[in-house]
Amino acid sequence: MRVMAQIAMVMNLDKCIGCHTCSVTCKQAWTNRQGTEYVWFNNVETLPGQGYPRRWEDQEKWKGGWERTRSGKLRLRAGGRLKRLGQVFANPELPEIDDYYQPWTYEYKNLIDAPAGDDLPVARPVSSLTGEPVDKIEWGPNWDDNLGGAPENAPLDPIVEKIRDEVGEKIRFEFEQSFMFYLPRVCEHCLNPACVSSCPSGAMYKREEDGVVLVDQDRCRGWRMCVTGCPYKKVYFNHATGKAEKCTFCFPRIEVGLPTVCAETCVGRMRYLGVMLYDADKVAEAAAVEDEHDLYPSQLECFLDPNDPAVVAAARASGITHDWIEAARRSPVYDLIATYQVALPLHPEYRTMPMVWYVPPLSPVVEAVAASGHDGEDAGNLFGAIDALRIPVEYLAELLTAGDPYPVEAVLRRMAAMRAYMRRVNLGEEREESIASAVGLTGAEMEDLFRLLAIAKYEDRYVVPSAARADAEALAGSHPLDEACPVGEAGPVGPSTEVAPGRVLLNLSPTRRSA
Amino acid sequence: MDLLLWGVLPYVSIALLIAGTFWRARYDRFGWTTHSSQVHESRLLRIGSPLFHFGMLFVVLGHVVGLVIPQSWTDAVGVSDHTYHLLAVSTGAVAGVAAAAGIGILVFRRFKVPAVRRATLRSDHLMYTFLLGAMVLGLTATMLNSTGATGDYNYREGISIWFRSLFTFQPDYHLMGAAPLAFQLHILFGFTLFALIPYSRLVHMFSAPVQYLFRPYVVYRRRDPKLTANREDRRGWERVR
């Protein structure tokens, strides 16, 4: 057993309201530069829909992730090493700008500078890449937001296409019959990252301490194989610097124990961050199991129970510090993934062992029940509906369990049971243990899960151990802004008098996480 | 003049090449990239780029054979001058024409596709001038030479010997002075291009990723606190003053 630690994320899709705050704050923090106009490290997709870049899930076309050879080994879907080196001069599977969207801005200056006249001046759209006017904007980062244009766009969703092949024309997009939910996406920081494995220069790496996958900007040579390698299309090519860039999991924040920007600013409180301990020796084998339906359970088996003394001893032996083991014990992510098993990986069939997991949304089911005039909070009704509503379940299964509906049904049942159980509690009715036991949990566990998913306090959602304390002190001691920053902080009792002249004082109130 | 052009200039050019590469590796690894524009336009690039690059690989190989292997060696293994030139010109023509067609497509694309034109670096203009110049002059010289317009000049008895004498630091510059003008110009453009390599996108040729064939798929690295806490400022990440 070789224990490694990873900061992982779980997103509770039921609580995503599709506000895109995560995308915007991420963009402001990381990709508001020339060369990354089209890049969204975090984006929120409406499903069913094509996603960003368009139809990224179509691996027949983009050749992302791994495939299992007949001999049971894993090979990059795009091809072996020699083949990929042969394609280094022109990558045949590289998405073009139009597959993302043509980034544009507006000629705002014209609004002010236009000479006086009879007509109101307008700000024409211009391409951010060429500066040329764009006559008609035809696609954007969220063009099909909230099922906009779904009659034309949603049938092109690769999952819809696949399900349609299986269930025929049943899946339809007339407004009254459609279902939808949001899928926020960041880099998966996989255990078996295909992007890292595709990089000819060896510039991409997975950090041993926290599992964050990064691009060394000094070693990247712009071969752009990683863009193809990542099946989630979460590595981007900065066309101005000629280097690959990707979600950094906000490592400068993670290192000091703060949640990522997308998590911190999540309005719906739907993101969870915590430590997962896993057995690195098992990963290769788990990623290469024959049946795709086994990929979810096999990844689950890679995770180690932080409360098991043998695991703790092995973790200590692998150099994992006490702080991290403690954090792993309190990890909300471990609870959602392993203890309650309500979170599922995104597209495990890509065999990259992703580490951003999702609690599937129950709301399409609840809404369908409520719309049919029944009680949408009743356990019996919900259980029946989960069985009856094949299409949402099959869609979720294609998304989260390589098409196996059984685990999705199990999760939805657990969520439905929690809903029904907690409604009785909140209405002051008698606790109905049979609802909990129907899904293999106890009433106390139901309430714990409810606290984690519905109350979701800041401290419960984010349990991020800081990098070693010595590191943190070294960082603080040599903060580059100490000398140069003109902004000072006021003391606790009003402006202090010893502030150097010329410094601006900001009245920063103590944060809720103050030490 | 001959001494300056054929005895000094090559060394200046190589000195610039070495110094520039060292500077790039020491101070500007962030700028060391292919500067690919494939995200802007893929269709033409997928034809032009492999044609150019694979063509160039063989062109370079041909130059090495022609310049480094003395005529006496090929004579010794019984390859007649005629056979040698037949082989050299036929394979060289295929590679040269492929490379020329490739660069033609790439340059057309660079001017014609607006986003690619906008992505053109300042150094590209100079680099493309000398790259295209060297290629056109090389093809011209070969064409003239094989049609007999240069009076049946045998570069293996002139240029090749001069080229090898560069390595002994006793350049036989008179030999180059006597070479036909097309060859002289080709070599001038070529050495200028060498000097430009580290200062332009051509520098990516030194990072051909052969090590990819031998490393494990997944790369792990430990985070070094010194990297973020105490390291010197990198280009583009300097302190705000």
Side-chain angles (χ1 to χ4, degrees), chain A residues 282-317:
Chain A
K282 274 194 190 162
V283 170
E285 200 190 323
V289 290
E290 191 174 354
D291 185 355
E292 286 185 347
H293 290 179
D294 290 339
L295 281 162
Y296 160 57
S298 76
Q299 184 170 2
L300 211 49
E301 281 161 22
C302 290
F303 299 136
L304 299 169
D305 180 0
N307 293 311
D308 179 348
V311 169
V312 171
R316 289 242 167 82

Side-chain angles (χ1 to χ4, degrees), chain A residues 14-205:
Chain A
D14 252 338
K15 295 175 80 178
C16 183
I17 59 172
C19 66
H20 304 278
T21 306
C22 47
S23 306
V24 171
T25 49
C26 172
K27 182 105 181 134
Q28 295 286 8
W30 291 105
T31 57
N32 59 348
R33 296 163 286 140
Q34 198 200 346
T36 56
E37 303 93 344
Y38 75 100
V39 175
W40 297 81
F41 288 165
N42 180 107
N43 74 298
V44 183
E45 290 164 14
T46 303
L47 294 182
Q50 296 185 43
Y52 159 86
R54 268 182 264 191
R55 290 172 57 79
W56 60 271
E57 286 155 309
D58 183 359
Q59 302 309 336
E60 295 297 313
K61 178 169 188 201
W62 301 117
K63 309 264 187 235
W66 301 89
E67 62 186 1
R68 188 178 186 272
T69 60
R70 236 174 283 152
S71 62
K73 278 192 184 153
L74 283 189
R75 186 179 58 199
L76 288 170
R77 191 184 287 272
R81 299 172 196 241
L82 212 55
K83 180 180 169 201
R84 287 311 267 171
L85 279 195
Q87 294 174 332
V88 86
F89 302 130
N91 179 354
E93 288 98 18
L94 188 78
E96 278 183 64
I97 263 308
D98 281 330
D99 292 308
Y100 300 92
Y101 68 100
Q102 284 282 348
W104 75 91
T105 178
Y106 294 94
E107 282 177 327
Y108 294 110
K109 206 161 172 284
N110 194 42
L111 297 178
I112 305 164
D113 290 358
D118 292 338
D119 303 314
L120 213 57
V122 291
R124 275 199 307 176
V126 286
S127 163
S128 310
L129 298 179
T130 63
E132 316 262 323
V134 183
D135 291 334
K136 188 180 173 201
I137 295 166
E138 305 207 6
W139 196 261
N142 265 303
W143 206 250
D144 50 1
D145 201 19
N146 291 338
L147 294 184
E152 301 97 69
N153 293 323
L156 290 170
D157 176 337
I159 297 181
V160 170
E161 280 181 352
K162 195 169 175 198
I163 298 180
R164 171 173 293 141
D165 287 347
E166 284 158 15
V167 303
E169 276 299 315
K170 258 201 294 177
I171 185 158
R172 300 201 65 82
F173 290 98
E174 277 98 31
F175 180 71
E176 65 273 23
Q177 280 173 289
S178 58
F179 69 98
M180 66 163 247
F181 60 96
Y182 301 104
L183 181 77
R185 298 203 300 125
V186 293
C187 165
E188 296 282 338
H189 297 277
C190 305
L191 298 184
N192 185 29
C195 56
V196 172
S197 309
S198 309
C199 176
S201 308
M204 293 189 76
Y205 61 98

Side-chain angles (χ1 to χ4, degrees), chain A residues 4 38 66 74-76 79-82 84-86 88-98 100 128-132 191-193 196-210 216-224 237 239-243 251 255 278 280 319 467-468 471 474-475 478 480-481 483-484, chain B residues 24-25 27-55 57 106 113-119 121 203-231 233-235 237-241:
Chain A
M4 288 184 84
Y38 75 100
W66 301 89
L74 283 189
R75 186 179 58 199
L76 288 170
R81 299 172 196 241
L82 212 55
R84 287 311 267 171
L85 279 195
V88 86
F89 302 130
N91 179 354
E93 288 98 18
L94 188 78
E96 278 183 64
I97 263 308
D98 281 330
Y100 300 92
S128 310
L129 298 179
T130 63
E132 316 262 323
L191 298 184
N192 185 29
V196 172
S197 309
S198 309
C199 176
S201 308
M204 293 189 76
Y205 61 98
K206 189 170 178 65
R207 290 213 301 198
E208 281 180 36
E209 292 87 349
D210 51 16
D216 184 337
Q217 292 290 304
D218 276 354
R219 290 180 68 181
C220 173
R221 298 286 171 259
W223 302 119
R224 62 212 176 277
F237 189 75
H239 59 82
T241 62
K243 306 254 166 172
F251 71 86
E255 282 174 10
Y278 67 98
D471 280 9
L475 278 165
S478 67
L481 292 178
E483 311 277 309
Chain B
R24 214 66 203 265
Y27 296 106
D28 186 33
R29 285 181 186 241
F30 182 61
W32 190 315
T33 153
T34 56
H35 278 291
S36 165
S37 55
Q38 196 183 348
V39 282
H40 295 312
E41 198 284 339
S42 198
R43 218 161 44 87
L44 285 171
L45 182 107
R46 279 182 60 188
I47 308 166
S49 179
L51 263 180
F52 169 72
H53 282 93
F54 284 115
L57 279 178
L106 292 179
V113 181
V116 180
R117 192 169 61 230
R118 274 272 290 232
L121 309 173
V203 71
H204 75 264
M205 73 170 70
F206 294 136
S207 47
V210 273
Q211 75 278 6
Y212 181 51
L213 296 173
F214 310 107
R215 73 164 166 86
Y217 262 140
V218 180
V219 178
Y220 290 94
R221 270 211 237 163
R222 293 199 77 80
R223 56 178 282 278
D224 178 0
K226 280 197 203 111
L227 271 180
T228 43
N230 301 318
R231 74 171 188 192
D233 298 335
R234 303 282 180 88
R235 182 170 164 262
W237 297 93
E238 293 93 348
R239 289 179 185 206
V240 179
R241 299 203 189 277

Side-chain angles (χ1 to χ4, degrees), chain A residues 381-401:
Chain A
N381 285 351
L382 284 174
F383 286 171
I386 292 166
D387 287 336
L389 290 170
R390 299 313 308 163
I391 290 167
V393 170
E394 267 174 54
Y395 189 94
L396 289 170
E398 289 294 342
L399 193 70
L400 300 168
T401 54

Side-chain angles (χ1 to χ4, degrees), chain A residues 320-393:
Chain A
I320 295 172
T321 58
H322 178 73
D323 278 10
W324 279 66
I325 296 169
E326 269 309 301
R329 283 214 187 97
R330 296 187 291 120
S331 171
V333 169
Y334 182 82
D335 283 344
L336 294 173
I337 290 177
T339 311
Y340 299 118
Q341 299 195 358
V342 290
L344 299 167
L346 181 64
H347 286 299
E349 71 273 21
Y350 299 158
R351 296 179 185 272
T352 59
M353 305 265 113
M355 287 304 278
V356 174
W357 288 36
Y358 293 88
V359 179
L362 186 64
S363 34
V365 179
V366 177
E367 268 154 35
V369 173
S372 66
H374 294 87
D375 179 1
E377 305 285 333
D378 179 78
N381 285 351
L382 284 174
F383 286 171
I386 292 166
D387 287 336
L389 290 170
R390 299 313 308 163
I391 290 167
V393 170

